[in-house]
Amino acid sequence: MLPGLKAGFTLDARLEADSEQLMWLGLCELRLMNDRRWPWLVLVPQRPGIEELHDMTPLDQAMLTFETNMVAQALKRVTGCTKINTGALGNIVRQLHVHVIARSEGDPGWPGPVWGHGMREPYQRPELHRFAETIKAAL
């Protein structure tokens, strides 16, 4: 079994297609959303069948909060953004995952939400790799 992989856990196909794996934290796999318009990270708790925060054990809830805060602080340091948007919607992808997005005045769609705004702009591979390494170093 791969490090960090939990028995019975399968990553939702849409999350896998739209994002790149960065690293394993503790509870979560950290992924980078492949849309260069926003520095956008996604935490996916490695628990099978979990759709809502309240479906998790209290210990897992605490760990998810800790990891989300750690990622948000690193993203803010790295990007110098004005605001961090954090959300767990799950309207399209039911599997529990938490978005952590760096936002600044003047970015595409500011001050509105990132969802449904324009077309995704995938990273070029070197750009994605540089950003991923910067985030890993900040964590």
Side-chain angles (χ1 to χ4, degrees):
M1 188 177 298
L2 295 172
L5 189 61
K6 305 299 182 218
F9 178 81
T10 304
L11 182 64
D12 180 273
R14 185 162 177 160
L15 284 174
E16 189 167 5
D18 290 349
S19 62
E20 300 284 330
Q21 181 185 24
L22 289 186
M23 64 193 298
W24 299 97
L25 298 172
L27 172 67
C28 296
E29 176 183 356
L30 181 61
R31 301 185 66 84
L32 169 61
M33 190 63 82
N34 192 5
D35 189 341
R36 63 186 299 280
R37 296 175 297 167
W38 300 282
W40 184 345
L41 303 173
V42 179
L43 293 94
V44 184
Q46 302 295 286
R47 296 292 187 259
I50 300 294
E51 293 184 0
E52 308 287 351
L53 287 168
H54 61 261
D55 293 337
M56 299 174 77
T57 67
L59 181 58
D60 281 353
Q61 291 174 16
M63 190 65 169
L64 178 58
T65 299
F66 174 79
E67 290 178 3
T68 301
N69 289 341
M70 181 177 70
V71 166
Q73 289 169 350
L75 187 59
K76 187 150 189 166
R77 273 194 315 273
V78 164
T79 64
C81 67
T82 305
K83 181 77 176 91
I84 293 288
N85 290 174
T86 304
L89 303 176
N91 295 345
I92 295 174
V93 174
R94 299 300 290 249
Q95 181 175 59
L96 181 61
H97 60 289
V98 178
H99 298 270
V100 181
I101 309 162
R103 301 295 308 275
S104 294
E105 288 92 348
D107 75 24
W110 178 269
V114 298
W115 291 276
H117 180 83
M119 297 295 295
R120 181 167 65 111
E121 296 176 17
Y123 285 96
Q124 296 294 321
R125 282 320 243 178
E127 183 184 17
L128 186 139
H129 181 73
R130 274 192 305 277
F131 183 60
E133 291 305 312
T134 302
I135 291 296
K136 287 179 192 178
L139 288 168

